[in-house]
Structure formats: structure tokens, C-alpha cells
Amino acid sequence: MNDQQIQSTLDGATAVITLSRPERMNALTKVLEAELRDAIEQAGRNPEVRAIVLTGAGRAFCAGMDMDELEVLPPGDIQAEQWMRPYDMNRRADYQTRYSYFPAAPKPIICAINGAAAGLGLVMALYSDFRIASEKAVFATAFAKRGLIAEHGIAWMLPRIVGHAHATDLLLTSRKIDAAEALAMGLVNRVVAADRLLPEALALARTLAGEVSPRSVRVMKRQLWEAPYQGLGEAVALANAEMFTSLQSEDFREGVAHFQEKRPARFTGR
């Protein structure tokens, strides 16, 4: 691929996307931002890909917006036409904005947080489906220290993950927290040794790719991200409709067959 600021590789059925500006702690630029979205969209469309791992090169995951770009950022940038994409009828409108598109990806996104995750770096981690952190990872919202506000839906996402009290603390103080505190408040799923981070993320991706139905994963990811907008009745109705379709799927037949035959599953995603 001809990416300038990210690296995209395949590890079996896993797309590994690496933010690649280590000299700037992988700080976001407009180029990196566009390349990242395109890479995730491509991985979502690729039938060979069943999971996505997102990580950073060097000692940081993503330190937020590049300060050189932030310094000259015009107020209208947030609503600039360049970030708008054609409306997709198959995706909830909430998950089509500039940074909230991760939930719309049909494949699970595993965020392997190798170092600092601040500002927009933290936003990307929150929109991922799994968050595995290196013991060296550090987290901060950072916005209040830049004279900014809770950007790109983080005021909606963060309380749903860590609770209102923790979210208020992290947003209003902009203080840094280490991996242990992030784990204690539920910000990350697990913390591992630095040299085990990518192997752990890839092992999880292999589990998702080989041991469970990709069709089930795709549908359940959508159910989970739809749930905040639903009442219980709506969630049950959606589940009933999806169950009706699941019972007619190839993956359901394979799920029963491999169990009865005591062999590894051969799911197709159909």
C-alpha cells in the first residue's frame, strides 16, 4: 500500500493497522486521519479479513492532534466539507461522523495501546471494540489543558465505559492516568507486559477469526452499538429478527456440525 503515515499489513485473517509517525508520537494529521479511515474501510470490505488490530509505532499509541496543525487549525475545520462522506443507508448516522466511524466497521477492532493515548488518541481507543494496554501505556483526555472541550463524542462515550464520576474526573482535570488505574476503572480490558502487547492482540484476533462465527460477531457488534439508542423492546425485537435469520445461515449449520463432530469450526461468515 502507498500509505504515507500508516502501515497496513495482513497477519492471516487479521488486518494490522499501525499509526506510523513515531518521531511525533503518532500525532494525528489530516493525512494520517484520512489514511486511517480508508484503511479501516478497506479492511471492513475485505472478505479475507475477520478482525482489525490498531496500534502505534514507537513509544506512543497516539498523542492527539499534531500541535503544528492544531496551532493553525481554523475554527471551521471541524465542519469542513472534506470530512463529509456520502450517507450510507446501512449505517446509523451517529457512526458516520469524522471520528465515530469505528463502530460501523463490520469487523471487530482491537486497539493495542502501546504508549501514550491522549486527546484524539483516546477517542479512537474508546470507539474500538477491545482495548488492550501495555503496562507502559498512559492515558489523558488533554482537552482542558489546550483550552478545548470534550470533542467528537467523548462526553457520550467515556461515561458509558468508565461511569460518570470517572469521566468527569478525566475530562475536567485532564490528568494523566497509568495503565493500572485505567484497568481499575474499566477503561481498558486488560494490561499486559510491553513485549506481549501485539502477540496478545493478535491472539485475540485469531480467536475471533477462527473459533467463532464471523457472521455472529458482525451481527452482535451491531447489536451492541445500536443498544444505547434502543429501549428493551426494540433490542428484543432486533434480536428476534436476527435470530430468525441466523437459524437459516451457513454458520449456524456449521456451529452445530463442528460441535457434534468434535472438530475445529470452518465458518464462512455466511
Side-chain angles (χ1 to χ4, degrees), residues 211-268:
E211 297 183 18
V212 296
S213 158
R215 184 187 183 282
S216 294
V217 169
R218 181 174 68 248
V219 172
M220 285 191 287
K221 173 174 176 172
R222 184 164 65 86
Q223 286 179 283
L224 285 165
W225 286 101
E226 287 283 338
Y229 303 95
Q230 297 173 325
L232 176 59
E234 293 172 294
V236 170
L238 176 60
N240 289 344
E242 291 292 355
M243 180 62 80
F244 177 80
T245 306
S246 293
L247 289 168
Q248 302 173 72
S249 70
E250 291 181 17
D251 274 9
F252 169 68
R253 291 191 291 274
E254 173 60 15
V256 173
H258 86 83
F259 176 79
Q260 292 178 330
E261 297 167 16
K262 296 181 172 56
R263 59 168 174 78
R266 296 190 291 269
F267 290 117
T268 65

Side-chain angles (χ1 to χ4, degrees), residues 27-266:
L28 275 172
T29 65
K30 292 179 180 179
V31 171
L32 189 152
E33 186 179 335
E35 289 179 356
L36 175 61
R37 186 161 188 173
D38 287 342
I40 290 178
E41 295 281 355
Q42 288 179 34
R45 292 192 298 267
N46 186 343
E48 302 302 316
V49 171
R50 294 192 175 181
I52 300 167
V53 169
L54 175 63
T55 193
R59 62 191 179 93
F61 170 66
C62 175
M65 178 65 77
D66 187 284
M67 292 301 291
D68 289 344
E69 291 203 6
L70 183 61
E71 183 180 16
V72 297
L73 192 71
D77 176 77
I78 191 65
Q79 297 174 325
E81 186 175 338
Q82 71 187 82
W83 306 117
M84 303 302 292
R85 298 199 176 201
Y87 183 74
D88 186 344
M89 292 292 292
N90 296 310
R91 299 183 180 186
R92 175 174 284 278
D94 304 82
Y95 300 139
Q96 298 191 49
T97 63
R98 184 169 172 178
Y99 294 100
S100 71
Y101 61 89
F102 283 28
K107 318 291 171 64
I109 299 176
I110 303 163
C111 194
I113 306 161
N114 53 302
L120 289 172
L122 180 57
V123 169
M124 290 191 293
L126 293 173
Y127 280 122
S128 299
D129 301 295
F130 299 89
R131 286 169 292 282
I132 304 176
S134 158
E135 60 191 358
K136 296 182 179 179
V138 179
F139 304 84
T141 60
F143 302 119
K145 288 187 176 179
R146 303 288 174 262
L148 299 172
I149 51 80
E151 295 182 303
H152 304 295
I154 192 174
W156 186 88
M157 283 294 302
L158 192 57
R160 282 168 168 76
I161 293 172
V162 302
H164 182 83
H166 288 311
T168 300
D169 176 8
L170 295 177
L171 284 168
L172 272 58
T173 69
S174 280
R175 69 183 181 89
K176 296 179 182 178
I177 64 170
D178 62 17
E181 186 173 358
L183 180 63
M185 67 172 61
L187 182 61
V188 298
N189 299 87
R190 71 180 88 156
V191 175
V192 300
D195 63 352
R196 291 297 306 159
L197 179 64
L198 194 55
E200 291 279 345
L202 290 172
L204 172 57
R206 283 191 290 272
T207 295
L208 294 168
E211 297 183 18
V212 296
S213 158
R215 184 187 183 282
S216 294
V217 169
R218 181 174 68 248
V219 172
M220 285 191 287
K221 173 174 176 172
R222 184 164 65 86
Q223 286 179 283
L224 285 165
W225 286 101
E226 287 283 338
Y229 303 95
Q230 297 173 325
L232 176 59
E234 293 172 294
V236 170
L238 176 60
N240 289 344
E242 291 292 355
M243 180 62 80
F244 177 80
T245 306
S246 293
L247 289 168
Q248 302 173 72
S249 70
E250 291 181 17
D251 274 9
F252 169 68
R253 291 191 291 274
E254 173 60 15
V256 173
H258 86 83
F259 176 79
Q260 292 178 330
E261 297 167 16
K262 296 181 172 56
R263 59 168 174 78
R266 296 190 291 269

